[in-house]
Amino acid sequence: AQKITQTQPGMFVQEKEAVTLDCTYDTSDPSYGLFWYKQPSSGEMIFLIYQGSYDQQNATEGRYSLNFQKARKSANLVISASQLGDSAMYFCAMRERLTGANNLFFGTGTRLTVIP
Amino acid sequence: GAGVSQTPSNKVTEKGKYVELRCDPISGHTALYWYRQSLGQGPEFLIYFQGTGAADDSGLPNDRFFAVRPEGSVSTLKIQRTERGDSAVYLCASSLRSDGTGASYNEQFFGPGTRLTVL
């Protein structure tokens, strides 16, 4: 089974509007971390936001917020007030704690296009 | 400050050749990771170093792939007898330390990647 599923290959959003990028995950580890990365056309992975499995509140970082629904195993990224520079690939990722693995498991990504 | 750097940025080689890809992590970062990103996919884990030792190499696809980090800083990913299926972007990341227990995280900082093309 895929550890991270991103079901939206591509999304469009009007500039200044909000957009939600979906992410669901699968793990039996009770302790894990969820990450979102942005990958512009330059190729570098840029860290956006993190949510720990034991965090009580949804993570927020500026215009980014993470809608964490633990029972549903979803960790959707919300980008508010979209800007043209937000056009990029977005990847959801997870790291499990108790398995001892330190690597990130990534989804297949969502390509976001912001329309002027 | 300097981020993670990778060289070369692009590498074109012929099937059957040997290649080396270099990663220079952020100074002071003890953990180093290699990932491979094929076209249209997310990055896939290859190997993780804590210091000089490979703590987890479970992602290496076969024995043609090998990586070293002899002094606990720069790492080299080595691919022998390259195949066309090895064509991908190879990403390196580093973090200040590896995670211990608990819910805290340790952000992985990624380099720009090396695009490998095997003809």
Side-chain angles (χ1 to χ4, degrees), chain A residues 31-32 35 37 39 42-45 47 50 52-55 91 95 97-98 100-109, chain B residues 4 33 35 37 40-45 48 56 91 95 98-112:
Chain A
S31 179
Y32 51 89
F35 302 75
Y37 282 84
Q39 188 176 44
S42 60
E44 194 157 346
M45 300 288 283
F47 167 75
Y50 165 82
S53 59
Y54 294 119
D55 293 344
F91 290 95
R95 182 162 61 203
R97 292 287 174 274
L98 296 184
N102 285 279
N103 56 286
L104 293 169
F105 294 97
F106 285 86
T108 52
Chain B
V4 177
Y33 309 79
Y35 293 85
Q37 187 174 19
Q41 301 295 316
E44 293 180 306
F45 169 72
Y48 150 65
D56 183 355
L91 294 166
S95 63
S98 62
D99 256 338
T101 57
S104 64
Y105 79 101
N106 213 315
E107 179 186 345
Q108 294 184 20
F109 294 84
F110 281 80

Side-chain angles (χ1 to χ4, degrees), chain B residues 69-114:
Chain B
R69 195 186 185 197
E71 298 178 356
S73 178
V74 171
S75 176
T76 304
L77 178 66
K78 307 181 180 192
I79 310 173
Q80 298 177 322
R81 304 182 304 281
T82 52
E83 299 177 357
R84 293 193 180 88
D86 299 335
S87 296
V89 175
Y90 289 80
L91 294 166
C92 176
S94 71
S95 63
L96 191 58
R97 63 182 189 278
S98 62
D99 256 338
T101 57
S104 64
Y105 79 101
N106 213 315
E107 179 186 345
Q108 294 184 20
F109 294 84
F110 281 80
T114 294

Side-chain angles (χ1 to χ4, degrees), chain B residues 8 11 13 25 33 35 39 41 57 63 66 91 97 115:
Chain B
K11 176 70 177 178
T13 190
Y33 309 79
Y35 293 85
L39 193 64
Q41 301 295 316
D57 64 358
D63 61 6
F66 188 70
L91 294 166
R97 63 182 189 278
R115 181 175 298 278

Side-chain angles (χ1 to χ4, degrees), chain A residues 64-77:
Chain A
Y64 304 108
S65 59
L66 203 152
N67 183 0
F68 181 46
Q69 298 188 40
K70 194 170 183 177
R72 295 185 178 184
K73 293 190 174 179
S74 76
N76 298 340
L77 177 71

Side-chain angles (χ1 to χ4, degrees), chain B residues 4-87:
Chain B
V4 177
S5 62
Q6 292 186 245
T7 55
S9 55
N10 279 284
K11 176 70 177 178
V12 180
T13 190
E14 293 180 343
K15 180 174 177 293
K17 299 290 188 183
Y18 168 83
V19 296
E20 289 189 352
L21 312 179
R22 175 189 168 110
C23 172
D24 205 333
I26 293 172
S27 178
H29 281 194
T30 60
L32 185 147
Y33 309 79
W34 283 99
Y35 293 85
R36 178 168 71 173
Q37 187 174 19
S38 301
L39 193 64
Q41 301 295 316
E44 293 180 306
F45 169 72
L46 294 177
I47 186 170
Y48 150 65
F49 287 90
Q50 179 56 44
T52 60
D56 183 355
D57 64 358
S58 61
L60 295 178
N62 52 59
D63 61 6
R64 296 187 296 106
F65 289 74
F66 188 70
V68 295
R69 195 186 185 197
E71 298 178 356
S73 178
V74 171
S75 176
T76 304
L77 178 66
K78 307 181 180 192
I79 310 173
Q80 298 177 322
R81 304 182 304 281
T82 52
E83 299 177 357
R84 293 193 180 88
D86 299 335
S87 296

